[in-house]
Amino acid sequence: MSALSPPLPLRPGETLGILGGGQLGRMLALAAGRLGFDVAVLERDADSPAGRVAAHVIVGAYDDPEALKALAARARVVTYEFENVPAQAVQTLQQLGVEVAPGPEALAVAQDRITEKQFLNAAGAPTVAFRGADTPDEAVAAAEAMGAPVLMKTRREGYDGKGQRWIEHARDAAEVFRALGGRPVILEAPADFTRELSIIAARGRDGATAIYPLAENHHEGGILRRTLAPAIVSTALAEQAERIAVRVLEGLGYVGVIGIELFELADGRLLVNEIAPRVHNSGHWTQDGCSVDQFEQQVRAVCGWPLGPTMPHARIEMLNLLGDEVDQWARLAHDPDSRLHLYGKRVAQSGRKMGHVNKLRPL
């Protein structure tokens, strides 16, 4: 990459870098291709879903200095498909003159659940009550102070229900702490919610925002199973969610697409469960429900392009295909109201996300 490279926006024919080669990276790469960009993927697996649709594949660890140099030589703008990117990787790329979006502040907030909750509350985005614990004794004390049941999660990592356990009795907190690896944890009060919602929002480099309608989510075993969007909600609830999204985006100085998971309470209030500084599973409905989906929106935002419209043109029921459910592809392909999205993963392990199907419904 030359020091004389022109400023943003990134022009068609240039290269966008992506850290991570999974399904989100694959769908980002496909969206970037539609806009005329080449894509360079940095991924440890030489045969990754994203790598197989990219123009360039760099095989290496995400914090490998030589791999990052190779990525910087290809791409002057880099984004990522998952929030556990090592902070050092972002710093190295920035030192090499690469634009990385979303920025390091969003990563720092999303990678630590206590930091995340503190940020959200400070930004005026309410959450459940919480406490941190670094030792078994602290975990017991926190559970006693909050009152069981409480949900214990590792402060870092964990997804799709992993790295978390419910505590029914405070005295069990020490045992659960050890079962989660003896690492620092957060204890969260239960949310007496009526349903789980999410909102996908984007912020461009010029500060403009674009917000998709709310989606209603249904989980099984900690994994998102089904999304209905646009969700049937009141104007007041939609406006409340949009206010939360704008506060989060502006509070982080964010560039890119973000997923914000929400709990709707019986009294109509919304609590933020967590944020994901990336495209999000619950936003897959936009691929067939909106003219500009979340993946193209991410590419537009990080490359300095104008954000696209977010108005829906159909109601979508998105179903995740887990494990060998992907074998239903032939039947689903026959359905005129279904749009099939498969991730190209080689092995269909139980509970593994292998693809999704968007079923079209009238608005």
Side-chain angles (χ1 to χ4, degrees), residues 93-115:
L93 287 168
Q94 290 177 326
Q95 289 165 2
L96 292 167
V98 175
E99 293 276 353
V100 182
E105 184 177 358
L107 276 179
V109 167
Q111 287 179 353
D112 186 307
R113 288 189 169 93
I114 290 181
T115 302

Side-chain angles (χ1 to χ4, degrees), residues 54-70:
H56 312 285
V57 180
I58 300 163
V59 179
Y62 304 126
D63 56 357
D64 180 339
E66 293 305 313
L68 292 168
K69 284 180 184 178

Side-chain angles (χ1 to χ4, degrees), residues 282-324:
S282 70
H284 291 353
W285 72 272
T286 62
Q287 290 175 297
D288 300 293
C290 300
S291 58
V292 172
D293 65 33
Q294 65 165 345
F295 300 99
E296 179 179 331
Q297 199 77 279
Q298 172 80 345
V299 174
R300 284 171 170 257
V302 302
C303 293
W305 285 34
L307 299 181
T310 58
M311 289 296 295
H313 54 68
R315 176 162 280 113
I316 301 292
E317 178 185 14
M318 189 282 296
L319 297 171
N320 274 326
L321 300 175
L322 306 179
D324 60 10

Side-chain angles (χ1 to χ4, degrees), residues 132-153 165-183 185-187:
D134 294 336
T135 68
D137 289 344
E138 289 180 6
V140 172
E144 289 175 342
M146 296 177 69
V150 291
L151 181 61
M152 183 184 291
K153 301 177 180 177
R165 290 265 299 271
W166 279 101
I167 298 170
E168 299 297 334
H169 305 284
R171 63 179 179 272
D172 298 330
E175 179 184 347
V176 174
F177 181 91
R178 296 187 187 97
L180 291 177
R183 296 175 289 169
V185 297
I186 182 174
L187 288 84

Side-chain angles (χ1 to χ4, degrees), residues 80 102-110 115-116 119-120 123 203 244-260 275-278:
Y80 44 85
E105 184 177 358
L107 276 179
V109 167
T115 302
E116 179 184 59
F119 161 77
L120 289 167
R203 185 171 183 268
I244 288 172
V246 170
R247 288 170 184 162
V248 170
L249 291 169
E250 293 183 348
L252 291 171
Y254 199 83
V255 173
V257 168
I258 195 168
I260 304 175
I275 62 175
R278 53 171 172 79

Side-chain angles (χ1 to χ4, degrees), residues 1 7-8 16-17 75-79 90 93-94 96-102 205 302:
M1 184 183 64
L8 296 176
L16 171 66
R76 59 190 182 92
V77 176
V78 169
T79 189
V90 175
L93 287 168
Q94 290 177 326
L96 292 167
V98 175
E99 293 276 353
V100 182
R205 292 187 180 274
V302 302

